[in-house]
Amino acid sequence: MTQSSVKHTVVKDSFAQGTKLPLNLHTLWLVVKRASQAVSGGMALLGEYILKACNWYRSRTGKDRVGVLSVVLAVVLLMLPSDYVVEGAGPALDVLGTVSADSKQQIIEITGLASTNAKPQSDTHHTQGKLLMTTVNSYGVGSTLPNAFVLVNAAIPSRGVLPREAVIAPNQTTQDFEQESTQAMSNAQNTAQQVALQFAKQHHIDTTGAQISMHIDDIGGPSAGMMYTLGVLQKLSQRDLTGGATIAGTGTIEQDGTVGAIGGIRFKMLGAKQEGATWFLAPDANCDDVVGHVPHGMRDVAVHTIDDAYNALIAIGQGKADSLPHCVVK
């Protein structure tokens, strides 16, 4: 039998002097050795600091000791996991555009229209304006946050703090919550398609052969229903309904066309403002949370049905929106 062709090296160490090891084992041994030395050195240094701290503590008076213990206790409490969730403005996405800046996939795609020779609607009618669906970023749903993070964010006006059970049920797993949220988004998209097609037919908008599909990633919940519906109606239209304006909004959509209340509307308005929106369509059921919190340079419009939202879209696009209803406290 011939000698192995695997290269060897001699590990020059007092622990294994003269021992021949394959190169990969030698490397592993060096890593373990140096890590051990680092840990030993770190533990020795930590022990030295602890000893100094103990000596310092013993030399203090009673009041000083109480102060030190209070600081230590406060630090420990700040590092403990919190039962709260932090919310803030999330991304605002144009439902007339693509799922991301580097993607060609339309959020709303309509194909098969007889009036456009079965070409994708996005290829036939260009829109100068935007229809923004708005979102909320939630921190602490999938994993707990330290108390320190929650306290810092509680002092930031653009953030909100909620008990975790207000967002996710006490006995609900994170996986179940995400699945529920994803399903709610899917249901909202399906309802939006049905309501939009029904509305279009009632208003003599050609829908012959229309096949609608919607695509979105990493966003859940039902609150984009109204904006999806408006997006479909814009893509079915033969003209630009937005008039070049950037219009944001939020609200669920019901089968009868009712626009329903949602959560986090203050943060959604902030996210819309960051994306350049000058108009915000809000469910009238959320008006109490809208009044006094509309960002500077943005005009709110209260809507109750998809008819209200569509009429607002037309009025804004035509520059005749002065008379549109503001939100008022009920």
Side-chain angles (χ1 to χ4, degrees):
M1 182 179 294
T2 59
Q3 187 176 3
S4 172
S5 62
V6 177
K7 292 184 178 181
H8 292 72
T9 187
V10 177
V11 181
K12 296 182 178 179
D13 183 83
S14 58
F15 178 79
Q17 188 172 1
T19 304
K20 294 182 177 181
L21 296 174
L23 184 59
N24 58 339
L25 293 182
H26 170 53
T27 303
L28 178 62
W29 163 247
L30 288 178
V31 171
V32 172
K33 173 190 171 184
R34 290 171 183 171
S36 176
Q37 291 173 341
V39 170
S40 298
M43 292 300 294
L45 185 61
L46 178 62
E48 182 180 347
Y49 280 125
I50 292 175
L51 181 59
K52 288 181 179 179
C54 289
N55 291 335
W56 180 87
Y57 181 76
R58 284 194 293 267
S59 67
R60 300 296 97 185
T61 63
K63 291 183 178 180
D64 290 339
R65 291 183 179 183
V66 171
V68 171
L69 288 177
S70 298
V71 171
V72 172
L73 179 60
V75 171
V76 171
L77 290 175
L78 288 173
M79 293 300 104
L80 289 177
S82 171
D83 290 328
Y84 289 85
V85 171
V86 173
E87 293 188 333
L93 304 177
D94 182 12
V95 297
L96 304 178
T98 58
V99 296
S100 64
D102 57 353
S103 172
K104 294 182 179 180
Q105 178 65 66
Q106 294 284 311
I107 291 179
I108 299 175
E109 187 172 14
I110 302 181
T111 58
L113 278 173
S115 60
T116 57
N117 299 319
K119 292 181 180 180
Q121 186 70 13
S122 58
D123 292 343
T124 58
H125 303 304
H126 182 66
T127 305
Q128 296 293 330
K130 295 180 180 180
L131 293 177
L132 301 180
M133 59 174 282
T134 51
T135 64
V136 173
N137 273 337
S138 295
Y139 310 91
V141 175
S143 59
T144 57
L145 302 172
N147 286 321
F149 183 87
V150 174
L151 287 174
V152 169
N153 280 273
I156 301 175
S158 61
R159 297 289 176 87
V161 174
L162 294 172
R164 195 168 186 270
E165 59 265 25
V167 179
I168 180 171
N171 297 325
Q172 189 177 35
T173 65
T174 301
Q175 183 178 7
D176 289 341
F177 173 79
E178 291 176 350
Q179 290 177 347
E180 181 181 284
S181 182
T182 300
Q183 185 60 54
M185 171 62 81
S186 178
N187 292 342
Q189 292 174 340
N190 291 335
T191 303
Q193 294 178 39
Q194 296 168 17
V195 172
L197 289 174
Q198 182 180 2
F199 183 94
K201 292 176 182 177
Q202 292 173 350
H203 289 75
H204 310 292
I205 299 174
D206 185 16
T207 62
T208 306
Q211 298 294 320
I212 306 171
S213 58
M214 297 184 181
H215 313 273
I216 200 73
D217 296 324
D218 301 324
I219 296 177
S223 66
M226 179 188 71
M227 296 308 293
Y228 278 135
T229 307
L230 292 178
V232 172
L233 292 173
Q234 169 59 79
K235 291 209 166 191
L236 287 171
S237 177
Q238 299 291 321
R239 58 192 177 92
D240 183 357
L241 304 179
T242 68
T246 298
I247 305 166
T250 187
T252 63
I253 192 70
E254 305 299 330
Q255 289 286 353
D256 64 357
T258 301
V259 176
I262 50 80
I265 195 165
R266 297 183 188 180
F267 308 120
K268 292 179 178 181
M269 288 191 292
L270 290 174
K273 177 62 177 178
Q274 292 170 4
E275 292 298 321
T278 53
W279 294 88
F280 194 93
L281 309 183
D284 60 0
N286 284 112
C287 276
D288 287 355
D289 293 323
V290 172
V291 176
H293 299 283
V294 181
H296 178 71
M298 179 182 287
R299 164 75 147 84
D300 67 289
V301 180
V303 298
H304 182 68
T305 65
I306 193 61
D307 292 84
D308 295 338
Y310 183 79
N311 290 335
L313 172 59
I314 297 298
I316 293 169
Q318 293 178 350
K320 302 176 180 178
D322 291 345
S323 61
L324 291 175
H326 285 274
C327 269
V328 294
V329 177
K330 297 181 178 180

